[in-house]
Each structure stands twice: as C-alpha cells, then as structure tokens.
Amino acid sequence: MLTLGVLVSGSGTNLQSIIDSIEGGSLDARIAVVLSDNPRAYALERAKKHGIKTCVITKKEFPKREDYDRKAVEVLKDCGVELVVLAGFMRILSPVFIREFPWRIMNIHPSLLPAFPGLDVHRKVIEWGARFSGCTVHFVDEGVDTGPIIIQAVVPVRDDDTPETLRQRILQEEHRIYPEAIRLFSEGRLTVEGRRVRIKDGRFCEGVLINPTVRDE
Ligand code: GAR
C-alpha cells in the first residue's frame, strides 16, 4: 500500500477527495501525515476528523527556505512517505526538497498548464478571454508549475463567469482527477520520459470540445 504525505495551506477540499477515495476503497493508499505551513488551515481539521496525523511547520520557525524544506523532508521521511501530494500548498519547494523525492511529488494546479501558471489564475483566464480552462495534475520539477503532466480536465468558461464561479467548476474536477492520478501512480502505471508521462493501459478521451458550440450540433 502506498504511503502518502499531503501538504496543505488552506481549506483542504482536495485532501478530502483523497481521504474519501481511500475510505471508499477506490484508492489503495494511506495518508501518513498532513503537513501545513498554516496553523489555521481547515485542512488540518479534516485530517484530525479522520484520525490522520498532522504537523505544522511555519515560516516563522524556519524563515530560510532551505531550512524549512529540510525540516519538512525530515518529517515526511520519518513517516515513511513514498509520494508527496501537494494539495493547495502555497509555498514553492526548493531543490533541497525536490531532489529528495525524484518524480515522487505531485501537484494540482487550477488551470490547463502550461497556460496560466502561478497565482490568481481564474481572474487571469477570464480577463484573457479563454473559452476553456481546467486543472492539471503534474509531477513537480524544479520550476514553478512546469513539471510533466499526468492528467488534465477541461471545463468551459462562460461569458457570465466570475473568478469564483469558474473556481468552483474547476474544483469539482480537481476532486476527480487528483485521486485518479494518485491511483495510477500507486498501480505503478506512470513513467516519466523527458517531459512526457506515459500511462500504462491509459484510457484516453476521444472527441472534440468546441465552446461556444457550433450551430446545428
Ligand atoms: C486548489 O484549487 C488547487 O488547485 C490550488 O489551490 C486550491 C486548494 O484548494 N492550488 C494552487 O493554486 C497551487 N498553485 P483546497 O485547499 O480546497 O484543496
């Protein structure tokens, strides 16, 4: 069984989707620890409700990024973590951390990478006038939101969307693709070849999306 360490900073709805998948039997994994940089993150309450060990490491305790990351690595290794899952963790990890878990760190980002990396994504998507957005689960490399892509989900952008309505639509899909990506990893079905992730026996989507739809379709 795969041992996970989940890193959070906020509400933890993605953490919840992973917990639910494990408890529902569709993901053969255990969460050894939920680690947060924010002592007030609601994600910590979610973990505690399910009897999952929590750990808070604040920036105040370790102001230097490398020191912070060394401490986080120590906690995760002590818990026997095999896959690090970033679920709304709002810190950038340094090479000190990333080199300890080669291709063993996943992140979820609320856009169709490589479009709209970084922060304040939904506002930027709407301002740009994109007709589609979505979410991406990817392996973490030493760049920001640049690592090899595992799964993406696409959602339409509507003319009347606000950043909040778009965020909600995308979040629902995040909750579907993140547990699935972890499941593929746990089944040993992911290999990284250069920039690409190969999925053994992947079931790939067919068909085309057009938004707004073409007349008479
Ligand atoms: C999610 O939308 C996730 O994609 C995003 O933070 C949110 C966390 O929500 N992550 C990033 O923007 C990372 N750059 P949650 O705490 O409810 O899972």
Side-chain angles (χ1 to χ4, degrees), residues 4-8 15 19 31-36 43-44 46-48 52-56 76:
L4 308 176
V6 184
L7 273 55
V8 297
L15 167 68
I19 294 172
I31 302 175
V33 63
V34 170
L35 190 156
S36 176
L44 293 168
R46 295 182 191 269
K48 285 175 197 156
I52 299 168
K53 177 185 160 85
T54 61
C55 173
V56 176
L76 295 166

Short mmCIF file of all heavy atoms in Angstrom, two decimals, residues 4-8 15 19 31-36 43-44 46-48 52-56 76:
data_model
loop_
_atom_site.label_atom_id
_atom_site.label_comp_id
_atom_site.label_asym_id
_atom_site.label_seq_id
_atom_site.Cartn_x
_atom_site.Cartn_y
_atom_site.Cartn_z
N LEU A 4 1.29 8.08 1.65
CA LEU A 4 1.25 9.46 1.17
C LEU A 4 1.57 10.44 2.28
O LEU A 4 1.23 10.21 3.45
CB LEU A 4 -0.16 9.81 0.65
CG LEU A 4 -0.80 8.88 -0.37
CD1 LEU A 4 -2.24 9.35 -0.66
CD2 LEU A 4 0.01 8.85 -1.65
N GLY A 5 2.17 11.56 1.89
CA GLY A 5 2.26 12.73 2.77
C GLY A 5 1.59 13.87 2.01
O GLY A 5 1.95 14.13 0.86
N VAL A 6 0.59 14.49 2.61
CA VAL A 6 -0.17 15.53 1.90
C VAL A 6 0.19 16.89 2.49
O VAL A 6 0.12 17.08 3.71
CB VAL A 6 -1.69 15.27 1.97
CG1 VAL A 6 -2.45 16.30 1.15
CG2 VAL A 6 -2.02 13.86 1.48
N LEU A 7 0.58 17.82 1.62
CA LEU A 7 0.97 19.17 2.06
C LEU A 7 -0.14 20.15 1.70
O LEU A 7 -0.60 20.17 0.55
CB LEU A 7 2.28 19.59 1.39
CG LEU A 7 3.58 19.16 2.10
CD1 LEU A 7 3.65 17.68 2.34
CD2 LEU A 7 4.80 19.65 1.33
N VAL A 8 -0.56 20.94 2.68
CA VAL A 8 -1.73 21.82 2.52
C VAL A 8 -1.43 23.20 3.09
O VAL A 8 -0.51 23.36 3.90
CB VAL A 8 -2.94 21.23 3.27
CG1 VAL A 8 -3.36 19.89 2.70
CG2 VAL A 8 -2.64 21.10 4.77
N LEU A 15 -7.60 17.44 -0.32
CA LEU A 15 -7.26 16.45 0.70
C LEU A 15 -8.48 15.57 0.99
O LEU A 15 -8.39 14.34 1.05
CB LEU A 15 -6.79 17.15 2.00
CG LEU A 15 -6.71 16.25 3.22
CD1 LEU A 15 -5.60 15.23 3.07
CD2 LEU A 15 -6.50 17.08 4.49
N ILE A 19 -8.94 11.53 0.86
CA ILE A 19 -9.41 10.74 2.02
C ILE A 19 -10.65 9.93 1.62
O ILE A 19 -10.74 8.73 1.91
CB ILE A 19 -9.76 11.67 3.21
CG1 ILE A 19 -8.50 12.37 3.75
CG2 ILE A 19 -10.47 10.89 4.32
CD1 ILE A 19 -8.78 13.45 4.81
N ILE A 31 -2.66 7.86 4.23
CA ILE A 31 -2.02 9.16 4.44
C ILE A 31 -1.31 9.10 5.78
O ILE A 31 -1.95 8.99 6.83
CB ILE A 31 -3.06 10.30 4.41
CG1 ILE A 31 -3.81 10.30 3.07
CG2 ILE A 31 -2.37 11.65 4.64
CD1 ILE A 31 -4.95 11.32 2.97
N ALA A 32 0.03 9.14 5.74
CA ALA A 32 0.81 9.02 6.99
C ALA A 32 0.82 10.35 7.73
O ALA A 32 0.90 10.37 8.96
CB ALA A 32 2.22 8.57 6.67
N VAL A 33 0.78 11.46 6.99
CA VAL A 33 0.84 12.77 7.65
C VAL A 33 0.27 13.85 6.73
O VAL A 33 0.42 13.77 5.51
CB VAL A 33 2.30 13.11 8.07
CG1 VAL A 33 3.23 13.22 6.89
CG2 VAL A 33 2.37 14.37 8.93
N VAL A 34 -0.41 14.81 7.34
CA VAL A 34 -0.82 16.04 6.64
C VAL A 34 0.00 17.17 7.23
O VAL A 34 -0.05 17.42 8.44
CB VAL A 34 -2.33 16.30 6.79
CG1 VAL A 34 -2.70 17.68 6.28
CG2 VAL A 34 -3.13 15.23 6.04
N LEU A 35 0.77 17.81 6.36
CA LEU A 35 1.70 18.85 6.82
C LEU A 35 1.24 20.20 6.29
O LEU A 35 0.91 20.32 5.11
CB LEU A 35 3.09 18.50 6.29
CG LEU A 35 4.30 19.27 6.80
CD1 LEU A 35 5.54 18.40 6.62
CD2 LEU A 35 4.49 20.58 6.09
N SER A 36 1.18 21.19 7.18
CA SER A 36 0.72 22.52 6.77
C SER A 36 1.71 23.60 7.19
O SER A 36 2.34 23.49 8.24
CB SER A 36 -0.64 22.80 7.42
OG SER A 36 -1.07 24.11 7.10
N ALA A 43 -7.83 22.35 6.44
CA ALA A 43 -7.37 21.01 6.05
C ALA A 43 -6.90 20.21 7.28
O ALA A 43 -7.07 18.98 7.32
CB ALA A 43 -6.24 21.13 5.03
N LEU A 44 -6.33 20.89 8.25
CA LEU A 44 -5.84 20.19 9.45
C LEU A 44 -7.01 19.58 10.23
O LEU A 44 -6.91 18.47 10.76
CB LEU A 44 -5.05 21.17 10.34
CG LEU A 44 -3.72 21.67 9.75
CD1 LEU A 44 -3.19 22.84 10.57
CD2 LEU A 44 -2.70 20.54 9.69
N ARG A 46 -9.84 18.65 8.90
CA ARG A 46 -10.31 17.50 8.10
C ARG A 46 -9.46 16.26 8.42
O ARG A 46 -9.98 15.16 8.61
CB ARG A 46 -10.19 17.79 6.60
CG ARG A 46 -11.10 18.90 6.11
CD ARG A 46 -10.90 19.05 4.60
NE ARG A 46 -11.51 20.24 4.07
CZ ARG A 46 -12.76 20.30 3.59
NH1 ARG A 46 -13.52 19.24 3.60
NH2 ARG A 46 -13.23 21.44 3.10
N ALA A 47 -8.14 16.45 8.49
CA ALA A 47 -7.24 15.33 8.78
C ALA A 47 -7.57 14.74 10.15
O ALA A 47 -7.72 13.52 10.30
CB ALA A 47 -5.79 15.80 8.71
N LYS A 48 -7.69 15.62 11.13
CA LYS A 48 -7.93 15.15 12.51
C LYS A 48 -9.23 14.36 12.60
O LYS A 48 -9.30 13.34 13.28
CB LYS A 48 -7.95 16.34 13.47
CG LYS A 48 -6.55 16.90 13.74
CD LYS A 48 -6.59 18.15 14.60
CE LYS A 48 -5.26 18.90 14.51
NZ LYS A 48 -5.39 20.32 14.84
N ILE A 52 -5.98 11.27 11.10
CA ILE A 52 -4.69 11.34 10.38
C ILE A 52 -3.76 12.29 11.14
O ILE A 52 -4.17 13.38 11.57
CB ILE A 52 -4.90 11.84 8.94
CG1 ILE A 52 -5.81 10.87 8.17
CG2 ILE A 52 -3.56 12.00 8.21
CD1 ILE A 52 -6.31 11.42 6.84
N LYS A 53 -2.51 11.86 11.29
CA LYS A 53 -1.50 12.66 11.97
C LYS A 53 -1.30 13.99 11.23
O LYS A 53 -1.26 14.02 9.99
CB LYS A 53 -0.20 11.86 11.96
CG LYS A 53 1.02 12.53 12.56
CD LYS A 53 2.21 11.60 12.32
CE LYS A 53 3.53 12.32 12.43
NZ LYS A 53 4.05 12.42 13.78
N THR A 54 -1.16 15.08 11.99
CA THR A 54 -0.91 16.38 11.38
C THR A 54 0.39 16.98 11.90
O THR A 54 0.86 16.61 12.99
CB THR A 54 -2.05 17.38 11.68
OG1 THR A 54 -2.13 17.56 13.09
CG2 THR A 54 -3.38 16.93 11.12
N CYS A 55 0.93 17.90 11.13
CA CYS A 55 2.16 18.56 11.53
C CYS A 55 2.13 19.98 10.94
O CYS A 55 1.76 20.15 9.78
CB CYS A 55 3.33 17.77 10.96
SG CYS A 55 4.91 18.57 11.22
N VAL A 56 2.46 20.96 11.76
CA VAL A 56 2.53 22.35 11.27
C VAL A 56 3.97 22.81 11.33
O VAL A 56 4.62 22.70 12.38
CB VAL A 56 1.63 23.27 12.12
CG1 VAL A 56 1.79 24.72 11.66
CG2 VAL A 56 0.17 22.85 12.03
N LEU A 76 8.56 14.06 6.66
CA LEU A 76 7.96 13.13 5.69
C LEU A 76 8.70 11.80 5.66
O LEU A 76 8.10 10.73 5.62
CB LEU A 76 7.96 13.78 4.29
CG LEU A 76 7.05 15.02 4.18
CD1 LEU A 76 7.36 15.80 2.90
CD2 LEU A 76 5.59 14.65 4.22
#
